[in-house]
C-alpha cells in the first residue's frame, strides 16, 4: 500500500529523495497524529491530501507500520556502518 499511495511523493521504499518529507523520521509515527494527517487532511494546506476515500484506517495503520519498519532498518544500517 505504501508503494501505491505514498511512494510517488515520499520516495521508493520510504526513502525520500529530499524534496518532500522522509516519513521514516516523521514525528507523526507515534500516536494518532498520523491518522489526522493521512485520513483527515491535517496538512492539506501544505500539499498533503486526505486519503480517507482511498484507504481505511486499518490500511493507514498498516502503512505506518511499514514506515516504522523502514525507519528501524535505517537505524540498524546506520549503526552497522559506524556513523
Amino acid at each position: 500500500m505504501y508503494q501505491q499511495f505514498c511512494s510517488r511523493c515520499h520516495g521508493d521504499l520510504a526513502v525520500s529523495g529530499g524534496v518532500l518529507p522522509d516519513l521514516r523520521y516523521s514525528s507523526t509515527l507515534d500516536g494518532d497524529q498520523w491518522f489526522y494527517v493521512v485520513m483527515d487532511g491535517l496538512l492539506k494546506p501544505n500539499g498533503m491530501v486526505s486519503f480517507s476515500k482511498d484507504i481505511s484506517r486499518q490500511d493507514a495503520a498498516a502503512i505506518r507500520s511499514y514506515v516504522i519498519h523502514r525507519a528501524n532498518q535505517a537505524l540498524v544500517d546506520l549503526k552497522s556502518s559506524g556513523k
Side-chain angles (χ1 to χ4, degrees):
M1 281 185 285
Y2 175 89
Q3 290 300 107
Q4 181 179 357
F5 295 103
C6 311
S7 66
R8 184 174 295 131
C9 295
H10 293 286
D12 189 40
L13 301 173
V15 178
S16 175
V19 175
L20 294 176
D22 190 319
L23 297 179
R24 297 173 301 164
Y25 306 105
S26 174
S27 63
T28 67
L29 289 177
D30 60 344
D32 286 338
Q33 189 176 9
W34 174 268
F35 300 104
Y36 300 140
V37 172
V38 174
M39 303 301 292
D40 299 336
L42 178 67
L43 296 178
K44 188 175 181 178
N46 298 359
M48 174 64 192
V49 300
S50 167
F51 283 93
S52 63
K53 293 181 181 178
D54 302 303
I55 64 174
S56 67
R57 184 179 172 95
Q58 184 176 357
D59 293 337
I63 292 168
R64 178 174 68 171
S65 292
Y66 170 74
V67 173
I68 291 169
H69 171 74
R70 295 292 293 139
N72 289 332
Q73 283 182 323
L75 184 59
V76 168
D77 291 347
L78 183 64
K79 286 181 180 180
S80 68
S81 71
K83 293 182 180 178

